[in-house]
Amino acid sequence: MALTLSDVDRFETARPRLEAIAYRMLGSASEAEDAAQETYLRWQAADVERIEVPEAWLTKVLTNYCLNQLTSARARREEYVGQWLPEPLLDGDPMLGPAQTAEQRESVSYAVLVLLERLSPNERAVYVLREAFAYSHREIAAILDLSEAASQQIFHRAKKHVAQGRAQATSGGAVEGAASGRGAGGALVEIDEAAARRVVEEFLAAATSGETGPLIRLLTSDAIAVGDGGGKVPARASAFEGALAVAKFLRGLFKPAQAKRDLVGGSPDLYASTANGGPAVVAVIGGRVFGIMCLERTQEGIVAVRSQVNPDKLERATERWAAGDFGTPVLAEAL
């Protein structure tokens, strides 16, 4: 049956929420858009008049599509060149979804998105639906064809895994695998835009000082640094571990050199911004976002520096950058 204008409007009203769910599920904005569009195609093919609760039906279709994608993604990521990191989103992006509660804000933080990669597809789905979108276990059970008791058990297990990843490491070192998000330092510090800018300014001042000391003072002892170039931009395949190693890496990374400018196509302007609710350095060359460096900060200091430089994962950020006003760079033509 052909959709009426009312049916199309109903879907378009739901689309932002569906994309926000899919982004948390998949860690990719482009894949989230694809998931929402696939859900629309199935809505278009359905007998809409017989669907009693359209919002629930759409969420079920989308979630199950994402579960299938997550299963196949595990195989694809085994062949991925270097570290796989989620796609960061600049704050204000509607795909970040609801941010009224601390749980909602943390559920889309870059650190937690990295940790969600450690969960099974079902654990990730239950965690996202419950923690970020406040679905009841009865609703989740219907979406995933589970019992309420099973939904509660899966949520408890998923939340425990995330909490363990967020907790200060007491054994086994700071990195159990850098992309897993394991790191010390305790809970994330909630931060507003002005505070995030101060964090980035302090970080850039230390990183461009030419010395490791200022950086070491900002980092926790078991800090990590990891990057995702997707095989298209050079990025170290394994993480730097420990404050000294990370500081040496950052000192070299921010040291100006013609070879770097030739490699990236110019000298980037570095901006202080926020991505996924946390402080971020945004590198821009000729209006194009070349890289986003997300700083995971706790009360003890910066515990992780995660850099996304894979151009495929920066297209949405570049679009938003071109459409918005992000102020003036902290450092112009920095490298």
Side-chain angles (χ1 to χ4, degrees):
M1 295 179 64
L3 294 180
T4 66
L5 287 176
S6 177
D7 296 331
V8 173
D9 287 344
R10 173 161 261 172
F11 180 85
E12 291 305 325
T13 299
R15 187 188 289 271
R17 177 178 58 85
L18 296 174
E19 289 187 346
I21 292 172
Y23 172 67
R24 284 170 165 86
M25 287 279 290
L26 302 173
S28 164
S30 60
E31 290 181 13
E33 290 174 341
D34 290 344
Q37 188 60 24
E38 180 64 27
T39 303
Y40 174 74
L41 294 177
R42 297 185 189 186
W43 172 251
Q44 194 175 42
D47 186 352
V48 173
E49 290 184 359
R50 301 186 62 181
I51 298 174
E52 295 182 5
V53 186
E55 287 73 16
W57 186 93
L58 291 170
T59 304
K60 182 181 180 73
V61 170
L62 176 101
T63 302
N64 282 282
Y65 176 84
C66 288
L67 288 173
N68 290 334
Q69 292 299 105
L70 283 173
T71 300
S72 61
R74 293 199 166 193
R76 293 198 307 272
R77 287 170 193 173
E78 288 179 1
E79 301 174 357
Y80 194 81
V81 178
Q83 296 279 4
W84 188 97
L85 291 174
E87 178 176 348
L89 295 181
L90 298 174
D91 278 10
D93 192 315
M95 198 176 282
L96 290 170
Q100 284 75 37
T101 68
E103 290 79 12
Q104 289 172 337
R105 290 189 292 274
E106 177 152 319
S107 73
V108 80
S109 70
Y110 204 64
V112 169
L113 283 182
V114 171
L115 287 169
L116 291 182
E117 288 295 310
R118 302 169 64 186
L119 304 183
S120 71
N122 264 9
E123 286 173 341
R124 188 162 184 166
V126 172
Y127 182 88
V128 167
L129 292 172
R130 179 66 177 164
E131 194 80 345
F133 294 89
Y135 280 83
S136 69
H137 284 294
R138 176 177 294 182
E139 291 170 319
I140 295 171
I143 290 169
L144 298 177
D145 295 322
L146 302 168
S147 67
E148 285 188 59
S151 176
Q152 291 169 345
Q153 291 171 355
I154 291 171
F155 177 67
H156 176 75
R157 190 164 62 241
K159 199 166 184 179
K160 181 179 179 181
H161 289 328
V162 173
Q164 287 174 339
R166 294 292 316 123
Q168 183 172 357
T170 56
S171 62
V175 180
E176 196 175 281
S180 74
R182 176 101 182 198
L188 283 170
V189 174
E190 286 208 33
I191 196 164
D192 60 25
E193 187 174 344
R197 183 177 180 86
R198 290 194 296 272
V199 169
V200 173
E201 288 174 346
E202 186 178 21
F203 172 80
L204 287 176
T208 57
S209 68
E211 301 176 358
T212 58
L215 279 164
I216 289 174
R217 288 191 287 273
L218 293 180
L219 300 166
T220 61
S221 61
D222 60 353
I224 64 167
V226 61
D228 177 352
K232 300 182 178 183
V233 175
R236 182 181 164 97
S238 57
F240 291 91
E241 305 176 27
L244 180 58
V246 172
K248 287 182 177 179
F249 160 68
L250 291 171
R251 180 187 63 187
L253 180 67
F254 284 93
K255 184 178 180 179
Q258 185 60 46
K260 293 178 187 176
R261 293 190 286 273
D262 293 341
L263 181 66
V264 303
S267 185
D269 294 333
L270 301 181
Y271 290 80
S273 189
T274 49
N276 295 76
V281 179
V282 180
V284 180
I285 301 175
R288 173 177 60 92
V289 175
F290 171 78
I292 298 178
M293 179 178 282
C294 297
L295 307 179
E296 182 183 346
R297 184 172 177 267
T298 68
Q299 292 181 346
E300 286 74 27
I302 295 173
V303 67
V305 179
R306 298 187 179 94
S307 302
Q308 183 57 260
V309 291
N310 182 344
D312 294 341
K313 298 182 182 182
L314 295 170
E315 291 179 359
R316 187 178 177 94
T318 294
E319 290 174 2
R320 286 197 61 79
W321 194 268
D325 180 5
F326 293 87
T328 58
V330 176
L331 293 174
E333 300 185 350
L335 305 180

